[in-house]
């Protein structure tokens, strides 16, 4: 019965898997609904400008400019998102998966979400694969078509999430954002900088400051 399964530890793995799935769903809603770091007032912009002064490699001639859309003063590394209709501090990108920007406040949680999602996909892929017993017959294909399709979709999503996670971790280790990486020559504080990446302070310190 159920008691014997608990004693043998047979229910532990399914319970852990369900907990991981629930964590993934909760993280999805948290990241998609939370404030990614909207620039809301002149005070917030001034505070962010003060924080950027500690980076001496950035030219002091670069002044904060006023956003032509929402008319707030943009702190360094902020960008206006046309879809969110707000300027976002340390803007990374607008993610269609979560229908929200990834910025200063939710970027670390976005990485946690991707990591949990990857664990769920890998585990789900293992479960789907273990349920397949290949036979060269049309009846077998008809009865296992849904399982094969599920496995194929899991593999595709796993590759996408894995590549996304790897690319984000690489950019974080360099202390740069997706927007800065893709639009380097259009960004004034990078274009006029003496260094290729004025924010890079070494891999360990970059990771520490991002996550801690």
């Amino acid at each position: 019965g159920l008691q014997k399964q608990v004693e043998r530890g047979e229910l532990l793995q399914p319970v852990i898997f369900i907990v991981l799935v629930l964590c993934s769903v909760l993280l999805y809603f948290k990241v998609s609904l939370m404030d990614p770091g909207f620039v809301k007032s002149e005070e917030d912009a001034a505070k962010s400008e003060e924080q950027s002064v500690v980076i001496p490699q950035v030219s002091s001639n670069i002044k904060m400019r006023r956003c032509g859309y929402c008319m707030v003063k943009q702190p360094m590394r902020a960008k206006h998102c046309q879809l969110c209709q707000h300027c976002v501090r340390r803007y990374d990108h607008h993610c269609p998966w979560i229908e929200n920007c990834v910025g200063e406040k939710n970027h670390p949680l976005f990485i946690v979400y991707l990591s949990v999602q990857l664990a769920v996909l890998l585990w789900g892929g293992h479960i789907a694969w273990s349920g397949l017993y290949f036979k060269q017959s049309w009846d077998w294909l008809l009865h296992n078509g849904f399982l094969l399709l599920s496995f194929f979709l899991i593999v595709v999503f796993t590759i996408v999430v894995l590549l996304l996670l790897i690319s984000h971790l690489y950019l974080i280790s360099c202390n740069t954002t997706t927007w800065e990486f893709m639009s380097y020559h259009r960004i004034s504080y990078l274009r006029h900088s003496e260094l290729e990446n004025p924010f890079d302070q070494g891999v360990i310190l970059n990771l520490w400051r991002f996550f801690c």
Side-chain angles (χ1 to χ4, degrees):
L2 186 62
Q3 184 64 34
K4 289 183 179 179
Q5 285 182 314
V6 172
E7 288 174 359
R8 290 197 297 265
E10 292 176 1
L11 293 179
L12 183 61
Q13 286 192 357
V15 168
I16 294 173
F17 180 72
I18 291 169
V19 169
L20 273 176
V21 172
L22 287 174
C23 285
S24 175
V25 173
L26 289 172
L27 282 167
Y28 171 83
F29 283 110
K30 177 66 175 175
V31 174
S32 61
L33 295 174
M34 73 181 292
D35 175 2
F38 294 135
V39 181
K40 296 177 181 177
S41 66
E42 302 282 323
E43 289 78 13
D44 289 341
K47 182 180 177 182
S48 296
E49 185 187 30
E50 288 172 9
Q51 291 172 348
S52 69
V53 173
V54 300
I55 305 163
Q57 295 94 331
V58 181
S59 173
S60 59
N61 295 325
I62 307 299
K63 302 297 181 183
M64 287 201 316
R65 68 185 186 88
R66 191 172 292 278
C67 176
Y69 297 98
C70 54
M71 302 309 293
V72 298
K73 281 190 176 180
Q74 280 187 340
M76 191 176 290
R77 310 191 81 178
K79 182 184 181 296
H80 184 86
C81 176
Q82 297 277 18
L83 295 170
C84 290
Q85 294 296 308
H86 282 287
C87 286
V88 179
R89 290 195 298 272
R90 201 182 181 278
Y91 175 87
D92 188 87
H93 71 289
H94 184 94
C95 181
W97 285 13
I98 63 172
E99 294 185 2
N100 193 12
C101 279
V102 175
E104 184 179 79
K105 289 186 177 180
N106 66 347
H107 200 169
L109 206 60
F110 180 73
I111 299 300
V112 175
Y113 164 68
L114 288 179
S115 302
V116 174
Q117 189 66 55
L118 181 61
V120 169
L121 287 168
L122 288 171
W123 201 334
H126 172 71
I127 293 170
W129 179 259
S130 63
L132 290 170
Y133 298 96
F134 293 100
K135 292 180 182 178
Q136 292 182 346
S137 69
W138 183 249
D139 283 342
W140 177 89
L141 187 61
L142 284 174
H143 287 96
N144 291 272
F146 179 74
L147 199 57
L148 278 170
L149 180 62
S150 299
F151 179 73
F152 174 74
L153 289 174
I154 288 171
V155 169
V156 171
F157 283 121
T158 300
I159 292 170
V160 171
V161 172
L162 181 62
L163 291 176
L164 194 59
L165 182 60
I166 290 171
S167 64
H168 272 275
L169 288 174
Y170 169 74
L171 293 174
I172 291 163
S173 69
C174 300
N175 196 1
T176 190
T177 64
T178 302
W179 173 58
E180 289 171 342
F181 182 77
M182 300 294 289
S183 308
Y184 180 87
H185 297 291
R186 292 193 295 147
I187 301 171
S188 58
Y189 60 80
L190 294 178
R191 195 170 64 243
H192 296 103
S193 172
E194 296 175 2
L195 300 177
E196 186 176 347
N197 181 7
F199 304 107
D200 187 8
Q201 296 181 304
V203 175
I204 295 174
L205 192 56
N206 290 340
L207 291 171
W208 174 263
R209 290 196 167 181
F210 180 83
F211 288 107
C212 304

